[in-house]
Amino acid sequence: MRHQKIRNMDEFATLSGISRPTISKYFNDPDSVRSSTRDKIEAALKEYDYRPNIYAMNQNRRLTKNIGIVVPYLADPFFAEIARVLERRCIDAGFTPSLYSSHGEQGLENAILDTLRSLKPAGVLLAPLGRASDRKYIEQFCRDVPTILFDSNIEGVGAAFVGSDNFSFVSQTVEYLNRTGNVPCFFEMRDPANPNANKRRHAYLEMMRRLNLEPHIVKIDGTGWGFEEIGRQGALKVLHDNMLPTKTVLCSNDRLAIGFLSACHELGVTVGRDETCDIRVASHDDHPYSRFTCPSLTTAAHDYESVADHAVETLFQLIDAGGKLNNREERLFAARLIMRGSA
């Protein structure tokens, strides 16, 4: 038996070399893990003399084994994909996830939080609407329920934030497009629904400044989360009116880019890397369908797995710590450039 004092399950996972979700799953139901894994965990428990008081903690706080997952718009394939990964991680750790979509509406987001509060979940993974959210409402909820924010940050709210590094997205696409052809203009909604769009615009302006290039921003009208149709209608207008300042278009997100490609097809505008093509189009997110567009879409990809894993791990740490961490962490994961046929 070792004499090192282990304070929580996270430290036990580090010392034993067993993943935190697997340990949580074992304590929820020892028979749910493989016998070899169970033997390894039980040997480590004996070696370190560690017994987490999970059940007493949950009884004192009247917690269930439920985890709430809230996204702003489940019809968006990005949120569908990351929600799928988050659900799987929670299930593997012995928790029961409940998935909610706020459909881009502040009132519905608040109502979902009220429902979750009444259910007394062990914790919540929340991707807020952002600027459309009721900040005070979310602040109060996070004081009542252990909550980790992901994708869209609200400064100082929640125990931690986990997301993607928007500068990493844009810096890679701008550098690549400038190196391989003419400079890109930035195609975006005038009033974007997702606050990450504003960060990407700022990153584009910063990268163009660093490269001593003149920036060009093309703003299109449209509100809400129907990005494909907004992108299509906006592209039809700018292409018809010959409003593009360059022959390379960098879209704020892949869903806008899919709409842009549709408009190009309708107008007979050829897209691709070949010198005979009319324009190049690139974007950000690696939408699950972006490799199936025609041509396939050059984009910067989210690290879905790392964002989901870290968000869930941090929530488990928060639950183990009794609902409060010493410091609010903000963790961003870099993007990965994926070169395809469109640029």
Side-chain angles (χ1 to χ4, degrees):
M1 181 186 302
R2 300 191 182 184
H3 298 291
Q4 179 174 349
K5 178 66 175 177
I6 300 177
R7 294 170 296 178
N8 54 50
M9 205 179 298
D10 192 57
E11 290 185 1
F12 176 69
T14 300
L15 288 171
S16 64
I18 304 166
S19 74
R20 174 66 172 74
T22 299
I23 292 171
S24 292
K25 189 176 182 181
Y26 168 84
F27 282 116
N28 184 62
D29 178 9
D31 292 331
S32 66
V33 301
R34 290 180 299 181
S35 59
S36 58
T37 303
R38 185 166 62 249
D39 292 343
K40 185 177 180 181
I41 292 173
E42 290 173 354
L45 289 172
K46 183 177 180 180
E47 179 179 4
Y48 293 104
D49 191 28
Y50 175 61
R51 290 292 184 275
N53 197 8
I54 296 176
Y55 301 106
M57 180 184 76
N58 283 353
Q59 184 177 27
N60 290 338
R61 296 174 59 213
R62 293 188 235 178
L63 296 181
T64 66
K65 296 295 288 183
N66 296 327
I67 297 289
I69 302 173
V70 186
V71 299
Y73 195 70
L74 193 55
D76 187 317
F78 163 72
F79 290 113
E81 176 63 14
I82 197 165
R84 179 191 68 81
V85 179
L86 290 170
E87 281 186 311
R88 188 71 259 173
R89 297 296 185 272
C90 292
I91 292 168
D92 289 345
F95 289 87
T96 302
S98 298
L99 178 61
Y100 301 85
S101 171
S102 57
H103 296 275
E105 301 174 16
Q106 182 188 100
L108 184 54
E109 183 174 72
N110 290 351
I112 289 169
L113 298 183
D114 285 340
T115 298
L116 284 169
R117 185 186 282 107
S118 68
L119 294 175
K120 295 184 172 61
V124 168
L125 295 160
L126 169 64
L129 296 174
R131 65 185 181 88
S133 293
D134 184 335
R135 180 188 173 97
K136 290 184 178 179
Y137 216 89
I138 293 180
E139 281 180 327
Q140 182 58 56
F141 177 82
C142 292
R143 283 193 286 268
D144 297 339
V145 180
T147 304
I148 303 298
L149 269 57
F150 70 96
D151 181 64
S152 178
N153 193 14
I154 300 178
E155 195 71 29
V157 176
F161 168 72
V162 183
S164 297
D165 185 347
N166 285 291
F167 187 83
S168 169
F169 279 80
V170 180
S171 61
Q172 292 184 69
T173 53
V174 170
E175 189 280 331
Y176 167 72
L177 293 171
N178 180 60
R179 174 167 47 84
T180 56
N182 54 10
V183 299
C185 62
F186 192 76
F187 183 82
E188 67 166 358
M189 293 168 60
R190 194 178 308 278
D191 297 301
N194 191 312
N196 287 322
N198 296 321
K199 295 178 181 178
R200 292 176 182 181
R201 184 196 324 111
H202 293 316
Y204 166 79
L205 293 171
E206 174 61 19
M207 275 303 297
M208 295 295 278
R209 184 192 67 80
R210 292 186 185 185
L211 295 171
N212 294 314
L213 300 172
E214 181 181 0
H216 302 281
I217 295 180
V218 178
K219 292 183 177 292
I220 60 171
D221 294 326
T223 58
W225 289 81
F227 300 158
E228 292 87 357
E229 182 60 22
I230 291 171
R232 173 181 168 272
Q233 292 292 343
L236 286 173
K237 178 175 177 56
V238 300
L239 290 169
H240 180 270
D241 296 344
N242 198 28
M243 296 169 58
L244 288 179
T246 78
K247 292 184 177 181
T248 299
V249 179
L250 177 58
C251 297
S252 179
N253 64 63
D254 283 357
R255 293 182 60 200
L256 284 177
I258 289 171
F260 196 103
L261 292 176
S262 176
C264 289
H265 177 73
E266 289 183 47
L267 297 177
V269 176
T270 57
V271 179
R273 293 188 288 183
D274 193 282
E275 291 182 358
T276 62
C277 293
D278 297 318
I279 61 174
R280 298 185 301 164
V281 177
S283 188
H284 309 100
D285 286 339
D286 195 26
H287 181 300
Y289 303 147
S290 62
R291 65 190 178 101
F292 300 111
T293 59
C294 188
S296 56
L297 188 60
T298 291
T299 185
H302 287 277
D303 188 344
Y304 290 93
E305 297 287 333
S306 293
V307 171
D309 285 346
H310 195 75
V312 171
E313 290 288 338
T314 306
L315 181 62
F316 290 162
Q317 292 175 25
L318 179 62
I319 294 169
D320 284 350
K324 187 175 182 179
L325 299 176
N326 291 331
N327 298 296
R328 184 182 188 272
E329 176 195 29
E330 292 190 9
R331 177 69 183 274
L332 301 178
F333 288 88
R336 177 171 57 93
L337 181 65
I338 298 179
M339 293 169 285
R340 299 192 180 111
S342 68

